[in-house]
Amino acid sequence: EGQIFEINRLVLSSMCRELQADTIDLGIVEDNVEEISNRIMLGLEKADLIITTGGTSVGAPDLVPAAIKKLENPSIIVHGIAMRPAMPTALAIVRNKSIIVLSGNPVAAMFGFEVFARPIILKLQGLDKEPRPIVTARLTRKISTALGRKTFVRVKVFQRGDEFFAEPISSRGSGVISTMVRANGYVIVPENREGLQEGEIVKVHLFDTFEAGGLNCSENS
């Protein structure tokens, strides 16, 4: 009672397996920089890519980036990205292997994986093209976003006649898992836009190919 259910390992492992990538669960580490460094080193010995979740935020404490800095010849490329959700994401390279530091908030972790981990895994498999489809759809209502951040808006795509429509679900709520359950794709609002208008034609990145089949859409249409 009073504790938080930890689902990120289950979700992120499933997102890896969707790409036919094997996962090694290194477990939960206490809030100790030395212990986190040791666990990351263990992962570097066993895996091609390291993904962590939690221990990074928009402010202190940022234990995982601090732990990475203690490793041999670390290279933190970025810590904090102008996107929503997943702004606290950090990217690093150690021993020529990528380390992706994701937020502990479930939705932020999923989108951090979607934007950074997924393309890297595809690249490691020798795939240059995203296999999931993109459909063109008409927004059913206005989306409001803030300038200066690329915003990933969860949507529900449905077909009416020969046309696809995208119903916005949420651009906020990095911990509200139900918004991901209700969505079957997402729309990217550029950082130089204050949202999108009702009726605007947008590109929707679908979450899987099964949805695409149900919508009778062709790949990357």
Side-chain angles (χ1 to χ4, degrees):
E1 185 178 352
Q3 294 185 339
I4 298 172
F5 288 99
E6 197 280 289
I7 71 158
N8 285 3
R9 283 185 296 169
L10 174 63
V11 170
L12 296 173
S13 294
S14 298
M15 294 176 81
C16 288
R17 287 194 293 272
E18 179 193 354
L19 298 171
Q20 309 301 314
D22 296 328
T23 59
I24 303 168
D25 187 350
L26 298 174
I28 297 175
V29 187
E30 294 182 356
D31 289 346
N32 181 290
V33 171
E34 196 70 37
E35 288 294 322
I36 296 170
S37 291
N38 292 339
R39 199 67 61 90
I40 291 174
M41 284 301 298
L42 177 63
L44 289 170
E45 293 171 2
K46 296 184 175 184
D48 300 310
L49 169 70
I50 306 296
I51 299 173
T52 69
T53 175
T56 182
S57 65
V58 293
D62 295 316
L63 298 178
V64 178
I68 293 172
K69 289 178 181 178
K70 292 177 67 68
L71 301 177
E72 180 184 354
N73 298 322
S75 175
I76 295 183
I77 300 169
V78 65
H79 180 202
I81 297 170
M83 61 181 288
R84 187 173 188 173
M87 189 173 69
T89 301
L91 309 172
I93 295 176
V94 176
R95 293 185 177 181
N96 293 320
K97 293 183 179 180
S98 299
I99 302 176
I100 301 177
V101 182
L102 300 177
S103 168
N105 290 317
V107 177
M110 291 182 218
F111 273 102
F113 182 100
E114 181 77 18
V115 175
F116 299 105
R118 184 179 174 91
I120 291 175
I121 293 172
L122 288 171
K123 193 73 173 179
L124 288 171
Q125 294 175 330
L127 301 174
D128 293 323
K129 184 179 180 182
E130 167 59 62
R132 295 187 313 200
I134 298 172
V135 298
T136 301
R138 186 182 300 276
L139 282 178
T140 61
R141 66 173 183 269
K142 180 181 178 180
I143 295 173
S144 297
T145 59
L147 280 172
R149 295 181 188 175
K150 184 177 289 187
T151 305
F152 295 77
V153 181
R154 287 139 270 175
V155 299
K156 176 67 176 180
V157 178
F158 61 92
Q159 189 171 3
R160 185 179 296 154
D162 294 330
E163 189 173 8
F164 296 120
F165 294 86
E167 178 186 355
I169 293 175
S170 180
S171 61
R172 297 179 175 85
S174 59
V176 185
I177 304 165
S178 61
T179 61
M180 293 295 287
V181 175
R182 292 161 54 203
N184 58 2
Y186 62 89
V187 171
I188 302 174
V189 182
E191 53 268 42
N192 61 348
R193 293 282 307 269
E194 286 189 284
L196 302 171
Q197 298 300 315
E198 179 180 344
E200 190 167 340
I201 302 299
V202 296
K203 288 186 176 181
V204 181
H205 302 255
L206 293 178
F207 283 133
D208 74 38
T209 53
F210 178 79
E211 284 283 358
L215 291 169
N216 298 319
C217 62
S218 59
E219 184 174 334
N220 292 323
S221 61

